[in-house]
Amino acid sequence: MASTVDQVTQRRRGVGLIAHDPALSAGGYTLIAPQTADGHVYLVDIEGRVAHEWKLPVRAGRHAVILPNGNLGYNGNHPRSPDRYAPWSMWHGGDFYEVTPQGEIVWRHEDPDHHHDAQWLPNGHLLYAACAPVPAGFAERVPGGTAHGPGEVMYGDVIREVDRSGRLVWEWKAWEHLAPEDFPIHPGFGRYHWPLVNGLGVRADGSVLMSLRTTSGIIAVDKASGAVKLHIPPSVVSHQHAPVALDNGHILAFDNGNFREGAHVAFSRVVEIDPADHRVVWSYQDEMVNAFYTAFMGNAQRLWNGNTHITESATGRLFEVTPAGEVVWEYILPWFAEYPDAAARRTGPGRLNSVFQTWRYHADQLPWLGAAGRLS
C-alpha cells in the first residue's frame, strides 16, 4: 500500500509564504518563471498571492523579467535546439518572447545556440550567451576538467547582441580572447563546455560582465576590443552565477560554493565585491552555513530600500535580507513537476520547484496591475 505522506521533501517542509516582516521588507511583487511549470509565469505579491499570470507557448528555458515598458521578457526553452551534451536540455533557452500583460506576443527572437543568461538592454537589444564548438586543436590547450568519453566535443561561449530586427550587432568568442591556461576547468566539471558563461551584466562603462561557471571567476569585457579588463578570480568566488553591476560600481554576485576551497561543507552566499581590489565588502550566508545552498543557478537583486532579494534556485526558496543579514521575507515555490523531456530529467530528476532567477518589482513598475493588486 502506498504511503499517504507526501514524498516530495521540499513540499513536505512547507510552501508559499513562510515569513514576512512588513516593517522591514521592501514589499513589491516577485516575478517567477518556474523551470517545470509548462510555460506559466507568476507575479506574486508580498503576501504570497498570485497577482497576475502568463502562459507562454514553451516552458521556461531560464527566466523572465518585467521590461521598462511593462511587458514581460521571457527566456523560453527552444523546442528544436540540438542535443549538444548531457545537461543541455535542462539549461538551454533560445526562444525569446516579449509579451504584453494581456498575453499578446509582440516580439520573438530565436537562437537554438543560446544557453543560460540573457539581458534585455535599455535600447531594446537582447544580449545573451550562446555556444559553438571550439576551433580544431583548441580543446587540447584547455587544462583541467573530466572527460566523459572519446571524441567529446568541447563547446566555447559566444556572446551575442541582437537588435529588434534580430540583426547581430556584437559578438564575442571566448577562444579568441581568453588564454586557456589562465582559465582551467575545475576537476569537478566536465570538459564539454568552456568556460561556461552562466551570467551576464553590463557595467556603467558599457563593459560586459561574464560569470565563468566551470573555471570559476567573473570577468568584464570591453565591447570595442573584446579584451578582458577585469578578472575576479576563483580565490574570491566559487562557481558563481548572476553578476550584477550596482550603482556604487561594485558587483553583486550569487556565490554558489561548489568545491569551495577550504570549506568542509558546501554552502552558498551572496557577495558584493569592490572590483578595484576584489575585496568582498558585504556578504550574506546563513549562520548554519549549509542551510543556504544551491549547487546550480541562483541570483541576487539589490532592492530600492537597500535590502537584497535572493533566489536559492534548486529548492525554489526565495528570501529577502536586510543589510545586517536579517531575513525579513521568505517564500517557497509551490509549483512542483518533473521536466517534460527525458534528457532534462536525467540531469534534473524528480518533482522540482526550481527556478533560474527571480526578480522583485515595485508597484510603480507595474502600472497595468489593478489598483486592488497594488495595495499590497
Side-chain angles (χ1 to χ4, degrees):
M1 183 175 68
S3 173
T4 58
V5 174
D6 188 346
Q7 297 304 299
V8 179
T9 300
Q10 182 67 17
R11 187 167 57 194
R12 196 168 58 244
R13 292 173 175 169
V15 298
L17 185 67
I18 301 297
H20 181 209
D21 184 338
L24 295 178
S25 169
Y29 295 80
T30 305
L31 188 69
I32 306 168
Q35 291 286 281
T36 59
D38 192 31
H40 287 274
V41 180
Y42 305 96
L43 186 67
V44 173
D45 71 16
I46 205 66
E47 297 294 339
R49 301 169 299 219
V50 175
H52 194 77
E53 182 178 341
W54 294 260
K55 174 66 173 72
L56 279 297
V58 295
R59 71 173 176 87
R62 297 286 82 181
H63 63 306
V65 297
I66 298 294
L67 301 174
N69 63 4
N71 288 346
L72 182 78
Y74 182 72
N75 183 341
N77 183 264
H78 199 289
R80 296 181 301 281
S81 182
D83 190 14
R84 288 172 164 84
Y85 48 75
W88 180 258
S89 179
M90 188 178 77
W91 65 40
H92 78 76
D95 202 356
F96 298 97
Y97 296 85
E98 180 180 340
V99 187
T100 68
Q102 296 75 32
E104 178 188 0
I105 296 170
V106 296
W107 186 76
R108 185 183 183 193
H109 175 70
E110 298 179 73
D111 188 341
D113 295 334
H114 168 263
H115 66 90
H116 287 86
D117 204 6
Q119 296 289 313
W120 302 71
L121 303 180
N123 63 358
H125 291 190
L126 185 67
L127 177 73
Y128 59 89
C131 71
V134 299
F138 188 87
E140 289 74 18
R141 296 174 53 202
V142 178
T146 303
H148 290 277
E152 181 178 41
V153 175
M154 177 181 285
Y155 290 87
D157 289 288
V158 181
I159 310 305
R160 293 173 179 157
E161 181 181 339
V162 298
D163 64 15
R164 291 290 288 185
S165 69
R167 179 176 62 94
L168 184 68
V169 297
W170 185 70
E171 187 173 66
W172 181 90
K173 297 176 181 177
W175 57 86
E176 293 180 349
H177 299 283
L178 300 184
E181 59 274 12
D182 295 337
F183 295 90
I185 300 173
H186 188 278
F189 287 95
R191 290 181 52 82
Y192 47 80
H193 197 150
W194 172 90
L196 212 172
V197 175
N198 63 13
L200 295 166
V202 180
R203 303 174 79 194
D205 64 2
S207 60
V208 178
L209 289 171
M210 303 181 190
S211 166
L212 313 182
R213 171 67 163 172
T214 59
T215 68
S216 199
I218 298 169
I219 60 174
V221 169
D222 177 69
K223 288 189 73 174
S225 66
V228 173
K229 58 187 301 183
L230 169 71
H231 181 200
I232 298 171
S235 59
V236 179
V237 286
S238 175
H239 307 286
Q240 69 301 309
H241 281 76
V244 176
L246 299 177
D247 291 341
N248 62 4
H250 294 171
I251 296 167
L252 190 70
F254 189 97
D255 187 22
N256 292 73
N258 308 66
F259 315 114
R260 191 184 300 282
E261 187 174 347
H264 69 285
V265 295
F267 66 93
S268 296
R269 60 180 187 155
V270 173
V271 291
E272 181 181 337
I273 303 164
D274 185 342
D277 55 10
H278 302 169
R279 188 167 47 92
V280 174
V281 298
W282 179 87
S283 67
Y284 170 81
Q285 62 194 46
D286 199 289
E287 64 176 48
M288 187 181 81
V289 291
N290 58 319
F292 168 37
Y293 178 62
T294 178
F296 49 87
M297 305 189 292
N299 78 301
Q301 173 192 8
R302 185 60 45 81
L303 299 176
W304 46 89
N305 71 340
N307 288 357
T308 302
H309 170 75
I310 300 171
T311 304
E312 185 181 323
S313 294
T315 58
R317 177 180 176 239
L318 318 179
F319 61 104
E320 177 187 349
V321 301
T322 67
E326 293 181 297
V327 174
V328 295
W329 181 84
E330 183 173 0
Y331 178 86
I332 309 298
L333 272 63
W335 304 285
F336 288 81
E338 292 185 300
Y339 277 104
D341 47 302
R345 288 197 297 273
R346 282 195 297 272
T347 304
R351 288 166 285 180
L352 307 174
N353 67 340
S354 57
V355 60
F356 180 57
Q357 298 177 356
T358 67
W359 299 96
R360 185 82 65 82
Y361 295 93
H362 195 280
D364 292 346
Q365 297 172 278
L366 307 164
W368 47 265
L369 194 62
R374 283 183 277 134
L375 289 177
S376 59

